[in-house]
């Protein structure tokens, strides 16, 4: 804070003014000036920040008050809401640091320990709907950061969430409220960094809800749900493999019907890309073998090869090649491919991608070779093999690939 002009003028007069000013008077003048609040503020050190644990305890006290408010009471009228907003912002600053300084490791550890010591973490999630938008943003970042904060070389957030797994129910159901979905979705993705949390969500009844959440009309909410679903299905390999093995039937019925065969282009594109990521992961080899042994799944993939979108075609190809490469193809899989051989070969002859890719060309050449050398097993025209509603033709083919090469249909 600058020294007031009157004091500066007084100093100047004392130094440059009349020579009649006695030394004692000049000394008094300087003493008075340096005792002023303005000058003290120049030399005074920054006010000492409260200890992190104390701030967390105060936040907990305020959150308890917010939580106790009746539903019909407007939280913005709570007289301590401004203080709560300020403290949440301060906690976020401690965890993330600033342009001028990095976060202090000891302060972050103390903050994290106090957060999970009692019910502050639970309160901050439960009270989110009663906070204003800026406070919600701060809370979202605080919760996300706490998942990665070590205390004595351990992620204590994992232990806390294992003992309080019902909080994941709250986060998943956040997708039911468009105003909260993005905040809760971000928190959920950070929480499922912990394998124990991911396992809980995968094995909960909420898992089935994601197939509907991913088709919510609000694009940003659907996209966020899709990001969370992908994280659940790809982060923890062994847990995902176990889940798919135990829940194969209902999972892929939902995945195929609601995602791969969705009327929404974005949904189909994201689903076929994710399917490739799942099946091509070595941890899921048993699941992949089971998937590529199904004629229903083959039908869906062959239809996706007919898509006008080259992106969908390419991702569908990476899954389709698994059906062809399978050394233990079931009889009906072999016969379906043989029955459609000429059209498949014609399609692959004109199937190109925009950039040169040696691996793609090698994979395509191998697929073409395998299809060309396949020999039918048993009758090709068995009605049992080709009972797909509205798809069988007189020749027993699954469907008629267009005479015009698919790549020429692209705009």
């Amino acid at each position: 804070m600058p020294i007031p002009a009157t004091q500066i003028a007084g100093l100047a007069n004392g130094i440059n003014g009349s020579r009649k000013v006695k030394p004692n008077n000049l000394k008094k003048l300087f003493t008075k000036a340096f005792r002023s609040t303005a000058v003290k503020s120049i030399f005074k050190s920054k006010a000492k920040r409260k200890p992190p644990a104390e701030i967390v305890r105060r936040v907990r006290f305020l959150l308890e008050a917010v939580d106790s408010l009746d539903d019909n009471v407007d939280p913005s009228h709570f007289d301590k809401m401004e203080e709560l907003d300020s403290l949440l912002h301060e906690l976020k600053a401690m965890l993330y640091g600033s342009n001028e300084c990095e976060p202090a490791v000891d302060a972050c550890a103390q903050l994290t320990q106090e957060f999970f010591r009692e019910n502050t973490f639970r309160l901050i999630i439960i009270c989110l709907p009663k906070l204003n938008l800026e406070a919600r943003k701060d809370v979202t970042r605080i919760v996300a950061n706490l998942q990665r904060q070590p205390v004595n070389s351990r992620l204590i957030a994992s232990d806390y969430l294992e003992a309080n797994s019902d909080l994941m129910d709250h986060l998943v159901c956040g997708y039911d409220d468009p105003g909260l979905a993005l905040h809760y979705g971000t928190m959920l993705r950070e929480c499922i960094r912990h394998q124990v949390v991911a396992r809980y969500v995968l094995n909960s009844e909420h898992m089935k809800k994601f197939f509907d959440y991913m088709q919510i009309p609000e694009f940003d909410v659907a996209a966020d749900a899709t990001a969370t679903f992908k994280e659940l299905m790809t982060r923890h390999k062994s847990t995902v493999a176990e889940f798919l093995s135990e829940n194969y039937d209902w999972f892929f019925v939902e995945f195929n019907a609601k995602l791969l065969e969705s009327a929404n282009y974005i949904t189909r594109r994201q689903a076929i890309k994710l399917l490739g990521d799942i099946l091509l992961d070595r941890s899921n080899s048993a699941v992949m073998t089971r998937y590529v042994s199904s004629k229903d799944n083959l039908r869906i993939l062959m239809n996706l090869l007919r898509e006008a979108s080259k992106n969908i075609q390419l991702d569908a190809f990476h899954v389709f090649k698994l059906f062809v490469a399978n050394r233990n193809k079931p009889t009906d899989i072999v016969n379906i491919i043989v029955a459609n051989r000429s059209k498949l070969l014609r399609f692959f002859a004109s199937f190109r991608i925009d950039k040169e890719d040696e691996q793609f060309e090698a994979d395509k050449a191998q697929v073409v070779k395998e299809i060309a050398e396949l020999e039918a097993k048993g009758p090709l025209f068995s009605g049992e093999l080709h009972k797909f509603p509205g798809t069988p033709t007189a020749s027993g083919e699954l469907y008629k690939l267009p005479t015009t090469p698919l790549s020429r249909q692209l705009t």
Side-chain angles (χ1 to χ4, degrees):
M1 178 182 283
I3 302 174
T6 55
Q7 292 183 10
I8 294 175
L11 285 172
N13 289 334
I15 296 171
N16 301 316
S18 172
R19 293 183 180 179
K20 293 180 180 179
V21 177
K22 296 180 180 180
N24 286 342
N25 292 340
L26 187 60
K27 183 178 179 181
K28 289 179 181 178
L29 190 62
F30 271 102
T31 302
K32 183 178 179 181
F34 277 94
R35 283 179 178 173
S36 70
T37 304
V39 175
K40 281 182 180 179
S41 66
I42 297 175
F43 299 98
K44 185 172 65 174
S45 61
K46 247 186 173 180
K48 193 174 181 182
R49 178 181 273 174
K50 292 180 180 178
E54 185 178 332
I55 296 176
V56 174
R57 286 193 289 271
R58 180 61 180 171
V59 166
R60 180 164 63 241
F61 172 78
L62 294 174
L63 286 172
E64 288 171 344
V66 170
D67 187 44
S68 66
L69 294 174
D70 292 335
D71 292 336
N72 58 352
V73 174
D74 185 349
S76 64
H77 294 159
F78 177 50
D79 60 349
K80 297 294 184 181
M81 190 61 79
E82 187 174 341
E83 180 189 357
L84 177 58
D85 293 346
S86 177
L87 291 175
L88 290 172
H89 194 73
E90 188 172 353
L91 290 177
K92 186 194 74 172
M94 283 186 186
L95 291 169
Y96 286 92
S98 64
N99 294 331
E100 291 76 27
C101 62
E102 293 292 319
V105 175
D106 289 343
C108 289
Q110 292 172 35
L111 186 160
T112 303
Q113 201 160 21
E114 186 64 32
F115 233 99
F116 291 114
R117 190 191 306 279
E118 297 197 28
N119 64 339
T120 311
F121 191 86
R122 174 178 293 277
L123 281 168
I124 209 168
I125 289 176
I126 300 298
C127 292
L128 190 75
K130 296 182 179 180
L131 304 180
N132 61 49
L133 180 59
E134 290 305 313
R136 290 177 185 178
K137 291 179 181 178
D138 286 341
V139 166
T140 301
R141 297 197 65 191
I142 290 169
V143 169
N145 190 289
L146 288 173
Q147 307 314 308
R148 304 189 292 273
Q149 286 293 340
V151 176
N152 297 326
S153 302
R154 295 187 66 244
L155 293 175
I156 63 173
S158 179
D159 298 334
Y160 178 87
L161 292 176
E162 183 176 13
N164 295 271
S165 55
D166 61 297
L167 286 174
M168 296 306 100
D169 303 337
H170 199 88
L171 294 182
V172 174
C173 292
Y175 283 116
D176 292 322
D177 185 340
L180 299 170
L182 302 186
H183 301 293
Y184 279 140
T186 300
M187 294 182 201
L188 180 59
R189 281 192 297 282
E190 292 296 331
C191 289
I192 59 181
R193 285 171 167 271
H194 310 299
Q195 190 163 11
V196 65
V197 176
R199 183 180 293 112
Y200 173 82
V201 177
L202 284 168
N203 292 316
S204 71
E205 283 301 311
H206 298 300
M207 193 60 192
K208 295 181 179 179
K209 295 180 180 180
F210 277 97
F211 293 101
D212 296 319
Y213 289 149
M214 288 186 280
Q215 300 181 79
I216 287 175
E218 291 83 359
F219 175 79
D220 54 346
V221 176
D224 195 274
T226 300
T228 302
F229 183 76
K230 180 179 179 180
E231 187 77 0
L232 279 166
M233 299 308 303
T234 57
R235 175 170 280 274
H236 303 287
K237 309 297 185 183
S238 59
T239 300
V240 171
E242 181 183 346
F243 164 76
L244 289 174
S245 177
E246 295 175 356
N247 298 274
Y248 179 93
D249 291 328
W250 77 258
F251 179 85
F252 282 108
V253 166
E254 293 285 290
F255 194 98
N256 289 347
K258 293 186 176 180
L259 302 184
L260 289 181
E261 296 184 303
S262 169
N264 185 290
Y265 161 76
I266 297 295
T267 301
R268 293 197 307 278
R269 180 176 174 182
Q270 292 175 330
I272 188 59
K273 178 70 169 63
L274 177 57
L275 179 63
D277 292 341
I278 292 172
L279 298 183
L280 288 166
D281 192 296
R282 290 183 179 181
S283 301
N284 299 323
S285 58
V287 172
M288 181 270 288
T289 300
R290 186 173 177 182
Y291 190 88
V292 300
S293 298
S294 164
K295 60 186 180 182
D296 289 328
N297 296 338
L298 177 60
R299 172 184 63 83
I300 293 171
L301 265 296
M302 292 173 78
N303 281 330
L304 288 171
L305 285 174
R306 302 175 64 189
E307 284 272 356
S309 164
K310 187 171 289 188
N311 290 315
I312 290 182
Q313 283 184 329
L314 180 59
D315 288 327
F317 166 72
H318 288 309
V319 178
F320 176 76
K321 70 185 180 185
L322 299 176
F323 287 87
V324 178
N326 182 13
R327 294 302 177 191
N328 299 303
K329 301 180 191 68
T331 298
D332 50 358
I333 297 293
V334 172
N335 290 345
I336 289 169
I337 294 174
V338 170
N340 290 274
R341 175 162 35 210
S342 62
K343 293 181 176 64
L344 285 169
L345 293 177
R346 188 161 62 245
F347 162 68
F348 285 120
S350 59
F351 184 35
R352 302 281 187 275
I353 58 177
D354 295 332
K355 59 181 180 180
E356 291 187 11
D357 187 330
E358 292 182 4
Q359 186 60 55
F360 165 74
E361 293 298 336
D363 288 348
K364 188 178 74 166
Q366 185 62 34
V367 166
V368 168
K369 181 176 180 293
E370 292 280 349
I371 292 175
E373 294 177 354
L374 269 182
E375 295 183 5
K377 297 179 180 180
L380 280 180
F381 311 115
S382 166
E384 183 181 355
L385 292 180
H386 305 294
K387 281 186 177 179
F388 301 115
T391 55
T393 65
S395 62
E397 295 178 349
L398 280 176
Y399 54 75
K400 284 190 175 295
L401 286 168
T403 304
T404 305
L406 292 179
S407 58
R408 294 181 189 171
Q409 298 180 12
L410 301 177
T411 55

